[in-house]
Amino acid sequence: MAAKKSAFTATELLDRSALILSRLEELPLFQLAEQVAFYHALPGEVQTAAFIERWYQRKRLYLPLVEGDDLRLLRYTGPDSLRKGAFGIWEPKADGEEAVEGAIDLIIVPGVAFDAQGHRLGRGRGFYDRLLSSLDTPKVGICFDFQLVSSVPVESFDHPMDHVITESGIY
């Protein structure tokens, strides 16, 4: 996957990201959601910064903060509510407003790869696996076309996505 990502320029990845996120905006689950858990992207992932800026005043967006082996979801209230955190990812400051249990309407999830059945291959640390086990909410994976593969390894603790969105469509 890393080799495939490096075949594209930063501009191409931004353009592809914009297309994926426009598909997300068309999804009824997103349109109806008032409180959405999102993420700030690592280089090479679907780039989310511009999308977050466009939507955070219209929906309550929550971003993950790495604490030990877990993720806490804290509200994004603008660029001043962020700091560089674990792994160089922009994260909310620890004193932000935490998501109320059961209040998240939708979670948007990154991954190294997905399959059309909604299974996700993460980076191996289990952060999202643990978070998803605590949420009873629709899950949408977003990735580039080349990250949608025929199958990914599945473990008993994995939580499949309800949808996976790429440049080509919604699965």
Side-chain angles (χ1 to χ4, degrees):
M1 287 301 154
K4 289 181 179 182
K5 288 177 189 176
S6 66
F8 298 96
T9 67
T11 301
E12 288 171 321
L13 288 179
L14 281 173
D15 291 345
R16 288 169 173 257
S17 296
L19 180 55
I20 293 164
L21 293 168
S22 71
R23 289 192 189 285
L24 174 61
E25 291 171 328
E26 297 168 4
L27 191 67
L29 281 172
F30 179 77
Q31 292 172 357
L32 296 171
E34 294 178 14
Q35 299 191 62
V36 180
F38 221 79
Y39 70 94
H40 248 286
L42 287 167
E45 291 181 332
V46 174
Q47 295 299 293
T48 58
F51 186 89
I52 290 168
E53 289 306 309
R54 185 166 63 250
W55 280 99
Y56 85 92
Q57 293 180 340
R58 293 186 264 173
K59 294 184 181 283
R60 293 171 71 94
L61 297 184
Y62 292 86
L63 301 176
L65 168 67
V66 174
E67 281 194 345
D69 289 331
D70 295 312
L71 297 177
R72 286 176 57 207
L73 294 175
L74 300 171
R75 187 164 180 204
Y76 177 74
T77 57
D80 291 341
S81 67
L82 296 178
R83 65 171 179 78
K84 277 279 189 171
F87 314 106
I89 301 169
W90 285 104
E91 297 180 329
K93 295 176 182 171
D95 61 352
E97 175 189 335
E98 192 151 8
V100 174
E101 188 173 330
I104 298 294
D105 300 314
L106 176 66
I107 183 167
I108 310 304
V109 184
V112 173
F114 294 88
D115 63 27
Q117 295 74 44
H119 301 118
R120 171 187 171 271
L121 179 64
R123 295 186 177 275
R125 297 278 309 267
F127 289 111
Y128 272 93
D129 294 322
R130 285 185 289 282
L131 176 63
L132 294 174
S133 71
S134 70
L135 296 175
D136 183 24
T137 190
K139 298 167 258 328
V140 174
I142 57 176
C143 66
F144 299 110
D145 283 337
F146 59 83
Q147 292 175 280
L148 189 63
V149 297
S150 59
S151 68
V152 298
V154 179
E155 301 285 345
S156 61
F157 51 79
D158 288 335
H159 296 272
M161 303 294 105
D162 296 289
H163 297 284
V164 176
I165 302 175
T166 72
E167 301 102 298
S168 297
I170 299 173
Y171 303 90

